[in-house]
Amino acid sequence: MPEQQLLKPTEWSYCDYFWADKKDPQGNGTMAGFELLLQKQLKGKQMQKEMSEFIRERIKIEEEYAKNLAKLSQNSLAAQEEGSLGEAWAQVKKSLADEAEVHLKFSAKLHSEVEKPLMNFRENFKKDMKKCDHHIADLRKQLASRYAAVEKVRPRMPGWEKAAMVRTGQSMTVALALPGDDLMRCVDLYNQAQSKWFEEMVTTTLELERLEVERVEMIRQHLCQYTQLRHETDMFNQSTVEPVDQLLRKVDPAKDRELWVREHKTGNIRPVDMEI
């Protein structure tokens, strides 16, 4: 009714905006407001699953990257470099092995702390939603049946005047212009069904609203965990190159030359001019 007040003003709550049917964009029929809410929930579950699959692909990339880094660290290229530069070069190669280990640990944590929780959250959600759908649908069918019974009886009432809808509390009740045993009984049954449907709709839509908030917050928390793991990985990666930086600062061409000459020198007696 136009004079009805919202149950939860200013909150855009599910319990206020999904009482009527809506034309199905996929066909010519209509879709109940509650069915639209259920589709929203099931779509959210699918999005959550796809996010988990996305993280799984991210894990595969990390694992492959770690494997390639470890393999490269064993490469013998430039292994004969000597002196302080040789030490720095050896540390460059070792840093790849250390970095590979960092990425392996990152991929393992992604699996246990992000991918797996996303995949397993509400495993039986779809089944639970179907039960909920059937329950509300049954109540609505009962309401429609009770309304049809009222419509069937009222033409038999002499002097029948059109029924008016009167607001009582949070529900709508049919008020009759003329009494009649059959009609009163049918109207009473209709009002009982309507009251039950109203209560279940409000309760269930608020629960769906709570579940959606919970889902979004759960995903947000696990994506925050993903970014935290990324930050930690960057920090650990930085630590793998710090020893390289330290050795590079110690590279001394003059010292390297001295060490090499001491080891490989062939003699320091130079030829001189001949005297007659």
Side-chain angles (χ1 to χ4, degrees):
M1 300 293 287
E3 67 274 14
Q4 281 183 322
Q5 298 296 314
L6 296 176
L7 300 175
K8 300 183 74 175
T10 75
E11 294 188 31
W12 292 95
S13 175
Y14 288 171
C15 69
D16 278 320
Y17 295 99
F18 293 92
W19 292 95
D21 293 348
K22 185 176 183 179
K23 186 175 180 179
D24 187 352
Q26 304 299 324
N28 298 322
T30 59
M31 179 183 301
F34 186 77
E35 180 67 24
L36 194 63
L37 286 176
L38 284 182
Q39 286 195 4
K40 163 75 171 169
Q41 295 291 317
L42 294 176
K43 180 181 178 181
K45 174 64 176 176
Q46 179 62 27
M47 295 302 98
Q48 167 193 323
K49 178 184 176 183
E50 291 181 13
M51 288 179 189
S52 178
E53 292 171 352
F54 181 91
I55 298 298
R56 172 90 284 263
E57 292 302 311
R58 181 74 170 88
I59 291 171
K60 289 179 180 178
I61 292 172
E62 287 295 321
E63 292 173 340
E64 186 65 22
Y65 183 52
K67 178 181 176 181
N68 289 333
L69 283 177
K71 182 179 179 180
L72 184 58
S73 71
Q74 301 300 316
N75 192 292
S76 62
L77 290 175
Q80 296 181 1
E81 180 61 59
E82 300 174 314
S84 57
L85 181 59
E87 292 178 13
W89 176 246
Q91 187 61 46
V92 167
K93 295 167 68 175
K94 183 180 182 301
S95 72
L96 296 186
D98 295 338
E99 187 178 353
E101 186 64 26
V102 169
H103 284 277
L104 278 178
K105 290 181 179 179
F106 175 52
S107 66
K109 287 187 175 182
L110 278 183
H111 171 68
S112 62
E113 299 179 22
V114 182
E115 179 209 1
K116 192 174 180 180
L118 284 175
M119 180 62 73
N120 295 339
F121 184 66
R122 296 178 184 165
E123 290 182 287
N124 299 319
F125 187 69
K126 191 172 184 179
K127 185 184 296 184
D128 293 341
M129 286 300 98
K130 284 185 177 180
K131 290 180 182 178
C132 184
D133 186 18
H134 291 158
H135 178 60
I136 295 296
D138 288 344
L139 289 176
R140 190 178 183 187
K141 287 177 182 177
Q142 184 182 59
L143 183 65
S145 175
R146 298 283 170 81
Y147 181 80
V150 172
E151 291 294 297
K152 184 177 180 180
V153 171
R154 76 176 183 176
R156 301 203 306 264
M157 298 297 297
W160 169 261
E161 294 180 13
K162 187 176 181 181
M165 300 299 290
V166 179
R167 181 177 181 80
T168 57
Q170 295 292 355
S171 64
M172 304 301 297
T173 304
V174 175
L176 301 178
L178 293 174
D181 291 343
D182 288 345
L183 190 56
M184 290 295 290
R185 180 179 60 82
C186 290
V187 168
D188 184 56
L189 291 174
Y190 168 84
N191 287 336
Q192 291 179 34
Q194 181 277 136
S195 179
K196 179 65 175 175
W197 183 64
F198 172 83
E199 291 174 3
E200 289 295 321
M201 272 288 289
V202 172
T203 300
T204 308
T205 54
L206 288 177
E207 176 62 11
L208 293 181
E209 188 175 296
R210 184 192 69 79
L211 290 174
E212 176 63 5
V213 171
E214 184 181 71
R215 182 190 74 89
V216 171
E217 181 60 22
M218 181 278 298
I219 292 175
R220 187 194 70 81
Q221 289 178 358
H222 285 89
L223 292 182
C224 284
Q225 180 63 14
Y226 167 79
T227 60
Q228 178 62 31
L229 290 173
R230 281 287 290 111
H231 291 316
E232 291 178 2
T233 300
D234 290 342
M235 181 182 66
F236 291 140
N237 278 336
Q238 181 62 32
S239 69
T240 66
V241 298
E242 287 175 359
V244 178
D245 288 336
Q246 292 173 4
L247 288 175
L248 288 175
R249 286 192 289 268
K250 294 179 180 178
V251 170
D252 185 343
K255 186 64 175 178
D256 285 356
R257 184 173 66 250
E258 176 187 345
L259 293 174
W260 189 87
V261 169
R262 285 179 178 276
E263 182 178 353
H264 299 284
K265 63 183 178 178
T266 60
N268 59 355
I269 303 300
R270 300 183 303 277
V272 297
D273 292 340
M274 297 180 69
E275 293 183 1
I276 298 177

